């Protein structure tokens, strides 16, 4: 059907167009405890079409997008394309050009069945006890074949693996029982990472049952050591996003440091073409642009904007793409060195976020560990808050790195003078 759609688009009168044909083959399993409850095989296809139309003598470029069912007739597809051409006249974006550079890709096949089997074997190795165990889990093992074609001559097909597991963990004592939810994504199954993370989750569940109220610390040293810390680096990476820069939401300037008088570690973030076992290892992005390794920020100095071709065109950025994999480089201290003194280590939040515009940190604590020398107290309640742009001058990063799907980052991040509202 895709080739028929392409032929219709060539004859539609559209000034430019794009087609994305995505086929996903997947095995899915749902377990209660470790007993299989149900499973299915999924094979689905989605074809998305975007039509572009020059307006006002090429000053503006309108666009409209819609999916076309793979089983649609030629007449149905023609009607949708005609409607898209009409709808494109209602949108007036400043003119931009689509990606043009051709890319050659060498694909390999992936064993979806083996990935599913690896997850089942890994989850059976979790060290459960009579009071901390796995309630249920759902496994999704996928292989995606994506073909992208545009009016500028790009026609490229990529094949990539992807997987996800959702796990519910229970912990109980004589008075209470709680649930903890986890979701892990990756390319194929990383058994060692999954076992390590779920073993920690079992411990968090056990400690959550015996917490004390979080003291009103006002300003404190906070150590981030879980996947939530990726939100801190996401703020810096998004400041280099072309759309935020063009719209005036980012004040980052190429070659100009965004932090002065730094006493801690400087931020370095790289875009990576490939990261082992990531689900984002695409040789081209979703708009057909070639991926590569490049610095976004180096030692607090912005080096490259990234994002979709529309806003890169507005900024005059030619050699970039929509980044899938990120690496935040480590700092000058070991994890053991950062784990000295008195500090609060939140490991469970009801929600944790960093506003990508302002950098404001907000998180409600469900479980944290208050470290006072050799004394460690599990606490709950209260919140963590602060302004990341104000806190980065004293940020400390561990030398050790840890990967969470498409993000490789320091395993520990330490911030000083974070606001802690207690629950006492």
């Amino acid at each position: 059907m895709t080739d028929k759609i392409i032929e219709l688009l060539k004859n539609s009168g559209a000034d430019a167009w794009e087609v994305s044909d995505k086929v996903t083959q997947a095995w899915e399993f749902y377990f209660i405890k470790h007993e299989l409850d149900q499973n299915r095989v999924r094979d689905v296809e989605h074809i998305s079409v975007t039509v572009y139309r020059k307006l006002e003598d090429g000053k503006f470029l309108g666009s409209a997008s819609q999916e076309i069912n793979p089983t649609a007739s030629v007449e149905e597809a023609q009607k949708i394309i005609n409607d898209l051409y009409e709808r494109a006249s209602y949108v007036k974006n400043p003119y931009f050009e689509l990606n043009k550079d051709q890319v050659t890709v060498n694909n390999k096949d992936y064993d979806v069945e083996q990935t599913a089997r690896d997850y089942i074997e890994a989850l059976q190795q979790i060290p459960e006890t009579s009071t901390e165990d796995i309630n249920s889990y759902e496994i999704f093992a996928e292989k995606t074949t994506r073909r992208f074609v545009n009016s500028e001559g790009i026609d490229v097909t990529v094949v990539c693996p992807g997987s996800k597991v959702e796990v519910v963990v229970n912990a109980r004592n004589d008075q209470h029982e709680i649930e903890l939810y986890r979701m892990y994504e990756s390319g194929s199954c990383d058994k060692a990472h999954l076992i390590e993370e779920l073993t920690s989750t079992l411990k968090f569940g056990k400690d959550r049952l015996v917490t004390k109220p979080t003291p009103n610390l006002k300003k404190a040293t906070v150590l981030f050591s879980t996947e939530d810390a990726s939100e801190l680096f996401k703020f810096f990476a998004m400041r280099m996003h072309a759309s935020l820069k063009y719209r005036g939401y980012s004040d980052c300037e190429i070659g100009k440091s965004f932090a002065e008088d730094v006493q801690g570690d400087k931020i370095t973030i790289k875009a990576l073409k490939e990261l082992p076992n990531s689900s984002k290892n695409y040789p081209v992005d979703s708009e057909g642009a070639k991926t590569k390794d490049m610095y976004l920020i180096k030692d607090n100095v912005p080096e490259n904007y990234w994002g979709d071709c529309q806003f890169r065109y507005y900024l005059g950025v030619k050699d970039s793409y929509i980044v899938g994999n990120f690496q935040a480089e480590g700092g000058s201290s070991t994890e053991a060195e950062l784990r000295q003194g008195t500090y609060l280590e939140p490991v469970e939040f009801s929600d944790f976020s960093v506003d990508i515009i302002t950098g404001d940190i907000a998180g409600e604590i469900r479980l944290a560990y208050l470290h006072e020398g050799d004394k460690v107290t599990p606490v709950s309640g209260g919140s963590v808050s602060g302004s990341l742009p104000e806190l980065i001058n004293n940020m400390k990063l561990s030398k050790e790195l840890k990967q969470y799907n498409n993000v490789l980052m320091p395993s520990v991040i330490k911030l000083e003078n974070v606001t802690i509202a207690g629950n006492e």
Side-chain angles (χ1 to χ4, degrees):
M1 186 60 191
T2 300
D3 289 332
K4 292 180 181 179
I5 291 172
I6 291 170
E7 190 63 33
L8 292 172
L9 287 165
K10 289 179 178 178
N11 298 317
S12 68
D15 293 295
W17 49 264
E18 295 173 329
V19 179
S20 178
D21 184 351
K22 180 180 178 182
V23 177
T24 302
Q25 298 171 293
W27 285 35
E28 300 179 2
F29 298 85
Y30 180 69
F31 287 81
I32 298 177
K33 299 294 184 181
H34 292 286
E35 296 294 326
L36 180 63
D37 182 67
Q38 56 182 298
N39 66 288
R40 66 173 181 170
V41 175
R42 179 163 49 90
D43 192 340
V44 296
E45 181 177 12
H46 294 277
I47 302 175
S48 178
V49 174
T50 301
V51 169
Y52 297 93
R53 183 174 177 180
K54 292 180 182 178
L55 306 171
E56 297 186 19
D57 297 324
K59 182 180 178 181
F60 298 99
L61 189 66
S63 65
S65 302
Q66 186 173 324
E67 280 197 15
I68 297 179
N69 196 307
T71 61
S73 66
V74 173
E75 292 75 17
E76 290 170 331
Q78 182 68 72
K79 182 180 184 304
I80 290 173
I81 291 170
N82 291 342
D83 289 343
L84 290 174
Y85 183 77
E86 175 64 24
R87 285 160 48 196
S89 65
Y90 305 146
V91 178
K92 288 188 177 182
N93 289 313
Y95 177 78
F96 64 95
E97 296 177 358
L98 305 184
N99 292 314
K100 300 179 181 180
D101 293 340
Q102 309 299 306
V103 181
T104 300
V105 173
N106 294 318
N107 289 306
K108 62 179 180 179
D109 200 11
Y110 297 94
D111 191 341
V112 176
E113 179 182 353
Q114 184 60 50
T115 298
R117 184 181 294 112
D118 289 343
Y119 272 110
I120 294 171
E121 291 176 354
L123 285 157
Q124 292 173 342
Q125 296 176 36
I126 306 301
E128 300 171 85
T129 70
S130 60
T131 54
E132 299 88 42
D133 56 20
I134 293 176
N135 175 293
S136 58
Y137 53 93
E138 193 162 4
I139 296 167
F140 305 85
E142 300 181 346
K143 178 180 71 175
T144 299
T145 303
R146 186 182 71 198
R147 181 186 178 192
F148 177 84
V149 187
N150 73 6
S151 53
E152 299 299 325
I154 294 178
D155 188 345
V156 60
T157 299
V158 297
V159 181
C160 292
S163 64
K164 178 173 66 175
V165 59
E166 298 180 74
V167 185
V168 176
V169 169
N170 280 107
R172 66 190 70 81
N173 59 21
D174 292 338
Q175 290 80 36
H176 305 286
E177 182 170 356
I178 63 168
E179 285 186 351
L180 296 178
Y181 167 82
R182 290 291 187 271
M183 181 177 72
Y184 304 101
E185 294 185 75
S186 59
S188 56
C189 175
D190 185 339
K191 287 186 178 180
H193 175 78
L194 184 62
I195 293 171
E196 178 186 358
E197 288 294 303
L198 284 174
T199 300
S200 295
T201 302
L202 292 174
K203 179 181 183 303
F204 294 162
K206 179 180 180 179
D207 292 342
R208 177 68 180 86
L209 292 168
V210 295
T211 57
K212 295 182 178 180
T214 302
N216 189 18
L217 300 174
K218 296 184 179 179
K219 297 289 185 179
T221 299
V222 175
L223 187 147
F224 295 92
S225 60
T226 67
E227 188 174 0
D228 287 315
S230 64
E231 293 295 314
L232 303 174
F233 296 110
K234 179 181 177 181
F235 167 72
F236 295 107
M238 288 303 295
R239 294 186 77 186
M240 299 306 297
H241 198 284
S243 67
L244 267 66
K245 178 61 181 176
Y246 176 76
R247 289 169 170 150
Y249 296 132
S250 171
D251 59 359
C252 281
E253 298 287 348
I254 301 297
K256 182 180 178 181
S257 177
F258 54 70
E260 305 295 338
D261 301 322
V262 174
Q263 304 299 313
D265 293 315
K266 294 181 178 179
I267 302 296
T268 294
I269 298 179
K270 292 178 67 176
L272 300 179
K273 175 181 180 178
E274 187 170 345
L275 185 59
N277 209 40
S278 165
S279 63
K280 306 294 184 181
N281 285 335
Y282 296 111
V284 297
D285 70 11
S286 59
E287 298 176 331
K290 184 178 180 179
T291 63
K292 64 174 185 174
D293 293 351
M294 66 178 181
Y295 283 102
L296 303 179
I297 299 169
K298 189 172 183 179
D299 293 332
N300 286 355
V301 178
E303 290 205 356
N304 288 288
Y305 297 116
W306 65 281
D308 55 273
C309 66
Q310 176 182 358
F311 293 99
R312 296 201 318 268
Y313 182 87
Y314 296 158
L315 296 182
V317 176
K318 299 184 182 299
D319 191 17
S320 189
Y321 63 101
I322 301 172
V323 177
N325 296 314
F326 299 87
Q327 177 185 346
E329 294 188 353
S332 57
S333 305
T334 65
E335 182 175 324
E337 290 170 338
L338 295 180
R339 288 183 173 280
Q340 294 180 0
T342 298
Y343 60 90
L344 185 72
E345 182 180 3
V347 295
E348 289 284 330
F349 291 100
S350 60
D351 179 61
F352 180 77
S353 64
V354 180
D355 189 287
I356 62 172
I357 306 300
T358 65
D360 289 339
I361 299 171
E364 183 181 348
I365 300 169
R366 284 189 174 178
L367 173 65
Y369 295 101
L370 180 58
H371 295 255
E372 300 170 290
D374 293 332
K375 181 183 177 182
V376 181
T377 306
V379 298
S380 181
S383 63
V384 172
S385 62
S387 171
L388 189 53
E390 295 176 3
L391 296 172
I392 58 173
N393 284 347
N394 292 306
M395 176 184 284
K396 297 281 185 70
L397 309 174
S398 67
K399 293 180 179 179
E400 300 90 340
L401 302 179
K402 190 166 185 178
Q403 183 177 339
Y404 298 96
N405 189 21
N406 63 321
V407 178
L408 181 64
M409 65 182 194
S411 57
V412 166
I413 298 93
K414 197 170 188 177
L415 295 175
E416 307 286 348
N417 296 315
V418 179
T419 301
I420 306 296
N423 192 39
E424 288 184 326

